Amino acid sequence: MATNNQDAFPEDGETGTEPVVAAPVSAVGATLRDAREKMGCDLPTAADRLRIRQPFLRALEEGRHQDLPGGTYAIGFLRSYAEFLGLDEEEMVRRFKREAADALTGRAELVFPSPVSEGRVPTGAILFVGLIIAAAAYGGWYWLSGRSHSVANLVSPLPGRLSSLLDRPADLTGKTAAAPSPVTAPAVKTPAKTAPAKSVVVATPAKTAPAQPAATASKTPAATNSAAPASKDAAVKTPTVTAPAATKTPATKATATKAAPAATTSATPKPATPAASVTAAKAPAAATAPAAGPSQVVLTAMTGDCWIQVQSKDGQLVLSRLLHKGESYDVPDQSGLTLTVGDAAALQVTVDGKVLPALGGAGQVLHNISLDPKALQTRG
Amino acid sequence: MFSKLTGWMSADMAIDLGTANTLVYVKGRGIVLNEPSVVAIAEERGKKKVLAVGDEAKLMLGRTPGYIQAIRPLRDGVIADFEVAEEMIKHFIRKVHNRRSFASPLVIVCVPSGSTAVERRAIQESAESAGARRVFLIEEPMAAAIGAGLPVTEPTGSMVVDIGGGTTEVAVLSLGGIVYSRSVRVGGDKMDEAIIAYIRRNHNLLIGEGSAERIKKEIGSACPPEDGEGRTMEIKGRDLMNGVPKELVVSERQIAESLAEPVGAIIEAVKVALEHTAPELAADIVDKGIVLTGGGALLSNLDYVLRHATGLPVSIADDPLSCVALGTGRALEEMPKLKNVLSSMY
């Protein structure tokens, strides 16, 4: 069985590769059959010698490529058979490959058996879609909330005991009043300074905060009450100069302002004398001051928490916050401010210390209320 | 993520680290390197340096002066000399991966199915220290079967016999896995040794490994010719009796006689594997037979001998020498699909 390919090659030439190639059925198969018949060997003998099953050899001879096992095996069988018949193996394999290109799909597709997925764990695609939905939802929420959320004055007003340290009255008076105001400014300050000292003497219950309003309040009603008939215009304006000092101090306890008139009526006799001297000293100054001081509007949450929003003329948000019960907000001196209030009954509006009637009923929401002092007063 | 990025830039490769030859398959380019697994090391002032690797080193084998050593770092399919093997892999990777070592490649190396965990780890570590980014191992019979184009993933048994330089792997595969495998440390090297021993015993002539290999390739046969002496060949060596170089003629029959023992061992391994094959798989194998791969498949008449010993059809794969490299390369190309034939020691 020691075959030599070199010896086999001429034989292959004898069988005539060229004419057989033209045969329509199967050139390789015909060559194989011719060679076998020439050898005088029948199919069972060949199958027995090669240990290749007869049906496979017959399929090879008849060119039924689909009946042969996969590519590698078919070529292996052909090679063995060609060697057995003394044909040129490589040449036969080459021709067979060309002929059976459709049956031999080059490389067997390798598909590994994989376990059926349990279906509980979300697959990557589901996770990905979920992420996209979450991102879209967040983006939408962000966009919607971002529209109404502009810069607002969220800084709560300065507590009175701190603001008293500021030289605000001087500034204000300096701004509002002309030449004589510097004269009034120290005049305003002096009672503020002296007031605590006095309050100790008078023994007003609380320490500084109530004492000052008491002092100022006592001063203002004194001025309003006593000087009202005389010079009403001046009297109305004088406190407005002092008001910043006063309102800042009662800001902490708005009730003080309310209580103030009551207190003044009783307290006037005693502390009024020093206060009166101050007001008296100041009254001329106030009287001399031009009547240019702006009205002071104070919003106070009286009966409960109340949400307010203040907008300027051009729609800019000045403030949007919840006033807690007892808190008050000094409306800045600007024209054209409008107010939106969440609970009209809970909000008390004070103009120059004068309490205006409630803007509306309990729980009523009011929009675009002008915060101009005059408009408020006429509304009341 | 970064390693993925560098993966695009590096040439991932599959290495058939064989006892006799090392083949390197580069992704998208096919087999780009096929050289003998031989390293020549020169010793200069006590420091070892690589002098040559591959073909060049093979020429030096058995012809070296004292300060040069030509080493085959693999024996019986596994690493025998760790450092030299590492140098060799490094050299091959550098030779193939010419992109100035910017990104290190992913490497798949095949290992004999019968190798121990220690031997596998040695192969993996030497590939890693040779500059691989990631190393995967694939069992040789699986690579050989994939490379030969056998339908390994189908529910039908396929039997592959891979006769390499150091080992012969006999395996039955089905459904993408190895059902049974047997590895015997008999291969081309053992055949060479058998030829050397035979000629020394019968002719008192000592020949080198290279000459023995040449004899095996030219007139080696698994069974003696039916009549006469068959082909003959002149061999040269050193006479053991009087110590002078001598030339004599050996015949195919003599060499077939000398190869009887290693061939017998291979046949025995195949028979044992068949004995251990489940009946359903055995039925498949009866139909389709055994496929021979590896350099040993080129030994003439080996298929004939196996056919008669087993009674099964035996076919030789196309290009048996590169089956393992092609199979490993295919595992590299279709990595996501063929992931479960790959393994890693850690």
Side-chain angles (χ1 to χ4, degrees):
Chain A
M1 201 53 223
T3 47
N4 192 331
N5 294 342
Q6 255 50 47
D7 297 340
F9 195 69
E11 197 186 321
D12 184 45
E14 276 169 30
T15 49
T17 34
E18 293 318 306
V20 181
V21 167
V25 190
S26 167
V28 175
T31 315
L32 290 171
R33 192 177 13 235
D34 287 352
R36 178 172 59 81
E37 280 162 3
K38 192 172 280 177
M39 239 178 116
C41 169
D42 59 349
L43 212 53
T45 319
D48 188 49
R49 290 285 296 277
L50 291 171
R51 310 279 175 178
I52 298 170
R53 291 177 57 215
Q54 258 191 73
F56 290 150
L57 285 185
R58 193 170 289 125
L60 265 178
E61 285 190 0
E62 290 168 11
R64 286 181 283 112
H65 305 138
Q66 66 281 359
D67 290 351
L68 292 166
T72 314
Y73 293 110
I75 289 168
F77 290 169
L78 175 73
R79 190 168 298 182
S80 305
Y81 197 22
E83 193 193 336
F84 170 71
L85 297 173
L87 300 170
D88 179 12
E89 304 160 38
E90 295 310 315
E91 169 66 17
M92 294 303 285
V93 168
R94 201 165 48 77
R95 279 167 56 189
F96 180 75
K97 276 184 181 166
R98 198 171 48 210
E99 209 172 84
D102 52 332
L104 311 166
T105 44
R107 314 209 298 184
E109 197 58 37
L110 297 178
V111 182
F112 279 86
S114 58
V116 180
S117 65
E118 288 183 9
R120 268 185 223 136
V121 187
T123 57
I126 292 171
L127 271 174
F128 184 69
V129 168
L131 267 175
I132 286 180
I133 289 172
Y138 176 73
W141 173 80
Y142 188 83
W143 184 69
L144 285 174
S145 61
R147 270 204 309 190
S148 58
H149 189 271
S150 58
V151 185
N153 179 17
L154 290 174
V155 180
S156 54
L158 211 57
R161 57 202 159 77
L162 294 178
S163 60
S164 66
L165 301 171
L166 289 173
D167 283 343
R168 185 112 170 264
D171 289 347
L172 270 175
T173 45
K175 259 187 250 162
T176 51
S181 56
V183 187
T184 56
V188 175
K189 259 190 196 166
T190 33
K193 262 183 231 161
T194 51
K198 257 178 273 159
S199 65
V200 175
V201 176
V202 174
T204 353
K207 259 168 64 195
T208 50
Q212 275 174 343
T216 46
S218 62
K219 199 169 55 192
T220 38
T224 42
N225 290 346
S226 59
S231 57
K232 205 169 187 177
D233 276 334
V236 171
K237 268 148 212 168
T238 23
T240 58
V241 182
T242 55
T247 45
K248 262 183 270 129
T249 30
T252 45
K253 269 280 161 239
T255 40
T257 46
K258 209 177 84 177
T264 43
T265 43
S266 61
T268 10
K270 272 188 267 174
T273 33
S277 62
V278 175
T279 39
K282 210 177 61 178
T288 50
S295 303
Q296 179 64 42
V297 180
V298 179
L299 305 174
T300 311
M302 285 306 296
T303 55
D305 293 355
C306 174
W307 178 80
I308 59 165
Q309 180 179 300
V310 179
Q311 277 180 302
S312 71
K313 202 165 21 181
D314 51 346
Q316 201 92 52
L317 209 60
V318 175
L319 172 102
S320 175
R321 63 167 289 199
L322 187 74
L323 282 183
H324 291 287
K325 186 174 177 181
E327 261 184 324
S328 62
Y329 169 67
D330 297 350
V331 178
D333 177 24
Q334 265 182 52
S335 62
L337 291 180
T338 53
L339 168 76
T340 303
V341 58
D343 185 359
L347 191 73
Q348 188 192 56
V349 182
T350 314
V351 177
D352 298 342
K354 201 171 98 190
V355 177
L356 298 181
L359 295 170
Q364 196 181 352
V365 179
L366 295 173
H367 295 281
N368 294 328
I369 300 163
S370 172
L371 279 174
D372 188 59
K374 288 209 177 72
L376 277 173
Q377 273 164 334
T378 53
R379 181 190 167 92
Chain B
M1 199 206 94
F2 186 70
S3 70
K4 222 176 224 175
L5 197 73
T6 57
W8 290 330
M9 292 185 280
S10 72
D12 291 347
M13 54 185 79
I15 301 178
D16 169 16
L17 197 62
T19 313
N21 291 295
T22 296
L23 284 83
V24 178
Y25 180 106
V26 174
K27 198 174 184 176
R29 283 203 280 161
I31 295 174
V32 294
L33 184 138
N34 179 4
E35 288 199 41
S37 309
V38 185
V39 182
I41 299 234
E43 202 169 331
E44 271 179 22
R45 291 189 293 276
K47 223 179 143 190
K48 285 182 175 173
K49 279 183 180 169
V50 176
L51 200 66
V53 180
D55 287 318
E56 222 180 315
K58 197 184 181 185
L59 287 176
M60 301 180 187
L61 209 60
R63 294 194 178 94
T64 52
Y67 73 99
I68 297 177
Q69 266 185 297
I71 301 170
R72 295 177 58 183
L74 286 108
R75 284 278 164 194
D76 300 333
V78 294
I79 290 179
D81 189 325
F82 193 83
E83 280 171 34
V84 179
E86 193 185 310
E87 284 299 328
M88 187 178 78
I89 298 170
K90 204 184 281 179
H91 176 268
F92 288 145
I93 287 180
R94 211 177 298 148
K95 196 165 177 181
V96 167
H97 196 254
N98 49 9
R99 270 173 259 185
R100 297 279 162 256
S101 67
F102 178 69
S104 42
L106 181 144
V107 173
I108 300 179
V109 189
C110 56
V111 289
S113 64
S115 57
T116 63
V118 176
E119 290 161 343
R120 286 174 193 221
R121 208 182 165 102
I123 288 179
Q124 174 153 5
E125 276 181 9
S126 59
E128 263 165 14
S129 49
R133 162 165 53 98
R134 190 82 213 273
V135 177
F136 287 104
L137 304 176
I138 182 169
E139 298 216 52
E140 240 161 64
M142 177 56 84
I146 293 173
L150 302 187
V152 287
T153 55
E154 282 170 26
T156 168
S158 312
M159 188 167 190
V160 66
V161 178
D162 177 48
I163 306 163
T167 57
T168 292
E169 313 267 338
V170 185
V172 178
L173 306 112
S174 178
L175 286 167
I178 294 174
V179 181
Y180 176 82
S181 83
R182 189 176 166 76
S183 178
V184 287
R185 304 215 159 172
V186 176
D189 286 352
K190 281 276 164 22
M191 294 181 191
D192 295 348
E193 282 168 25
I195 291 172
I196 293 171
Y198 177 87
I199 290 175
R200 193 169 74 176
R201 200 165 55 237
N202 294 344
H203 299 283
N204 283 321
L205 186 77
L206 200 60
I207 57 167
E209 272 180 42
S211 305
E213 194 184 347
R214 246 187 345 267
I215 295 167
K216 176 186 72 184
K217 281 181 180 168
E218 279 192 32
I219 60 169
S221 175
C223 67
E226 280 162 345
D227 49 349
E229 289 295 306
R231 290 165 288 169
T232 57
M233 185 184 171
E234 286 183 349
I235 54 164
K236 296 149 203 157
R238 177 162 61 89
D239 192 351
L240 280 171
M241 298 298 279
N242 44 27
V244 292
K246 197 174 124 183
E247 188 181 311
L248 64 88
V249 174
V250 289
S251 68
E252 194 179 335
R253 179 174 292 278
Q254 287 175 318
I255 300 303
E257 225 173 276
S258 69
L259 291 178
E261 198 210 323
V263 169
I266 292 169
I267 291 168
E268 197 53 39
V270 174
K271 278 185 168 174
V272 170
L274 285 169
E275 271 171 32
H276 285 88
T277 304
E280 286 293 339
L281 294 172
D284 294 334
I285 294 166
V286 164
D287 255 11
K288 299 189 293 182
I290 302 168
V291 174
L292 296 183
T293 68
L298 294 173
L299 184 71
S300 62
N301 293 325
L302 184 64
D303 55 337
Y304 173 80
V305 171
L306 266 177
R307 196 178 294 143
H308 279 260
T310 59
L312 296 172
V314 176
S315 28
I316 300 170
D318 269 348
D319 196 4
L321 275 172
S322 44
C323 273
V324 173
L326 287 174
T328 315
R330 189 163 175 196
L332 178 70
E333 300 273 8
E334 298 174 30
M335 189 113 165
K337 224 162 81 180
L338 304 185
K339 191 104 191 166
N340 41 357
V341 301
L342 302 175
S343 62
S344 181
M345 288 313 288
Y346 32 77

